[in-house]
Amino acid sequence: MAGLMPDSDSEDELPPGWEERATVDGSVYYVNHATKGTQWTHPRTGKKKIVSGELPFGWEKCVSEDGKIFYVDHTNRRTTYTDPRLAFATEEKEHPHDFRQRFDASTTALQILHGRDLGGKTAIITGANTGIGFETARSLAFHGCTVIFACRDVTKASAAIDKIKCERPNVTCEVMELDLASLHSVKTFATNFKLHYKKLDMLILNAGVFGIGFSLTEDGYEAHFQINHLSHFYLTLLLESVLVDGCRIVVVSSESHRFANLSASKLTKEVLSPATVQKYWDMMAYNNSKLCNVVFATELARRWEARGVCVNALHPGNMVSSDLSRHWWLYRLLFAFVRPFTKSLQQAASTTIYCATAPELANVSGLYFNNCCRCEPSTASQDPELARALWDTSNEMIHAAIGRSTSSSEEQ
């Protein structure tokens, strides 16, 4: 049997004669073949490591007749006593939110998932039929994940799935109708999902609108606010009962959240959702909705910390060429002009995939990521008073809209 040594940098390299191994429970220990001794701490750094997560795609853990554990790589027809997950083993840290950056702005979503087996996992992706959402869905599906396309246009979502199946016929994808401009549609989607699925491993809140003219949804709220924030807020709360321990909730926000004008002292329903065009500016409406995304993710992480659910927000990339700019010709022109200098859709989906699947982010929650790396969000997004005010106001607006809808249906 051949040994398999993980990739490592010079700081983590073992001295001659040492070997790294993992126990059944995921603890890492080190063997000194010269002295026939073992120890739990790294011989150079003195730090402990732990192995977690599923085996890479194509690998199987087996037990020999004499009780020894070994690993079979069916893809390359190799066998080893060394746990292949050692390549991704993480050190116990005094500061658990400090990560060694493995990826950057040039990384693609499929590169992050290289070797991963997501079989048995289920993901919901809002707006999965196009742009960054499509590449996110495609990447997860390629690695065995069951992907639910939560989309308003069922026909376009079905065509997107057909496109993926042309590349990989055996992927598991399903369309479920979700119109984020309708809280009734959100409730119906959640009910239907829970009827067909008993668990959810990843909830990726990706869908959004940008630069649209002033309009109100059927619930009477400004479209940017409801589609980008309020409906995602409602959807998440409705799905709480099926979120498994270790579920990842990923909120796609934007660096535009830094230019919002929301504050705890001035947060009202009218500020969040202008009722008339006179109080509306599309860019500020978008910026405010993206701040709501980050604030929601941070507050949800705090409230659900004991549930074992990880919630993180992210910025996918600057002016990525997608359908987001479709609502106004000037934005389309600007996005087309900068396209050669921005990320591809596969690169733009990478931070979403990183937050949804990276082993080192297990049990990590309440953070903001850009280019697959943690960064500090705006000061406003970290204001606990703003977080509480947004949470309470969002709940009030949902209950008010649901109440109006119920009254209307009873009158009919």
Side-chain angles (χ1 to χ4, degrees), residues 206-412:
N206 164 84
V209 292
F210 166 77
I212 60 177
F214 177 78
S215 63
L216 299 178
T217 67
E218 68 176 47
D219 300 298
Y221 297 131
E222 191 277 317
H224 274 108
F225 171 73
Q226 178 165 337
I227 294 170
N228 292 359
H229 164 69
L230 190 65
S231 289
H232 279 138
F233 174 92
Y234 188 37
L235 174 65
T236 304
L237 299 187
L238 290 174
L239 293 173
E240 180 181 3
S241 63
V242 292
L243 302 180
V244 300
D245 184 31
C247 174
R248 310 273 185 102
I249 299 177
V250 180
V251 185
V252 179
S253 180
S254 169
E255 281 291 274
S256 296
H257 85 274
R258 301 185 188 278
F259 307 103
N261 64 1
L262 299 179
S263 65
S265 61
K266 298 180 180 179
L267 191 78
T268 64
K269 298 176 185 178
E270 291 71 27
V271 169
L272 290 170
S273 175
T276 63
V277 69
Q278 286 76 18
K279 298 181 179 180
Y280 174 79
W281 178 30
D282 58 354
M283 276 304 305
M284 190 55 68
Y286 178 76
N287 296 345
N288 286 346
S289 70
K290 294 293 103 177
L291 175 59
C292 288
N293 290 155
V294 184
V295 172
F296 167 55
T298 304
E299 180 66 6
L300 185 67
R302 185 188 68 81
R303 290 175 182 249
W304 284 8
E305 181 179 10
R307 294 195 73 263
V309 175
C310 300
V311 190
N312 292 298
L314 65 94
H315 170 61
N318 295 322
M319 303 188 71
V320 177
S321 181
S322 69
D323 281 350
L324 188 66
S325 61
R326 65 188 179 276
H327 295 288
W328 192 26
W329 68 268
L330 182 59
Y331 288 133
R332 292 199 303 271
L333 180 63
L334 180 60
F335 274 61
F337 178 77
V338 301
R339 183 172 185 175
F341 313 103
T342 61
K343 291 182 179 180
S344 68
L345 290 174
Q346 254 291 307
Q347 290 170 328
S350 63
T351 306
T352 300
I353 291 295
Y354 178 69
C355 290
T357 66
E360 62 264 36
L361 297 188
N363 303 317
V364 171
S365 193
L367 302 184
Y368 177 72
F369 291 83
N370 186 3
N371 294 330
C372 300
C373 183
R374 181 200 177 186
C375 65
E376 283 295 312
S378 68
T379 302
S381 71
Q382 302 175 67
D383 180 359
E385 292 298 323
L386 177 60
R388 282 190 286 270
L390 178 63
W391 187 281
D392 293 342
T393 306
S394 297
N395 264 322
E396 291 171 8
M397 295 174 78
I398 289 169
H399 292 318
I402 295 298
R404 288 196 298 268
S405 176
T406 302
S407 299
S408 175
S409 61
E410 289 175 351
E411 290 173 2
Q412 293 175 1

Side-chain angles (χ1 to χ4, degrees), residues 122-124 148 176 188-200 239 242:
T122 303
I124 291 174
I148 308 302
M176 293 184 68
T188 300
F189 171 90
T191 300
N192 289 338
F193 178 84
K194 288 185 283 190
L195 285 174
H196 294 90
Y197 295 89
K198 301 305 179 185
K199 71 180 186 70
L200 180 62
L239 293 173
V242 292

Side-chain angles (χ1 to χ4, degrees), residues 62-126:
C62 305
V63 181
S64 64
E65 293 181 358
D66 59 359
K68 291 184 177 180
I69 294 176
F70 63 96
Y71 301 87
V72 179
D73 178 0
H74 293 291
T75 303
N76 298 303
R77 298 181 180 180
R78 295 183 299 172
T79 304
T80 177
Y81 282 118
T82 305
D83 190 326
R85 293 172 297 174
L86 285 171
F88 306 102
T90 56
E91 289 184 345
E92 293 183 352
K93 300 174 181 177
E94 295 180 7
H95 305 288
H97 289 168
D98 292 338
F99 315 110
R100 183 179 74 174
Q101 185 173 358
R102 297 193 290 130
F103 308 108
D104 58 25
S106 64
T107 306
T108 66
L110 287 171
Q111 286 173 335
I112 290 175
L113 289 173
H114 179 71
R116 299 292 301 279
D117 183 0
L118 301 179
K121 294 187 180 296
T122 303
I124 291 174
I125 305 176
T126 64

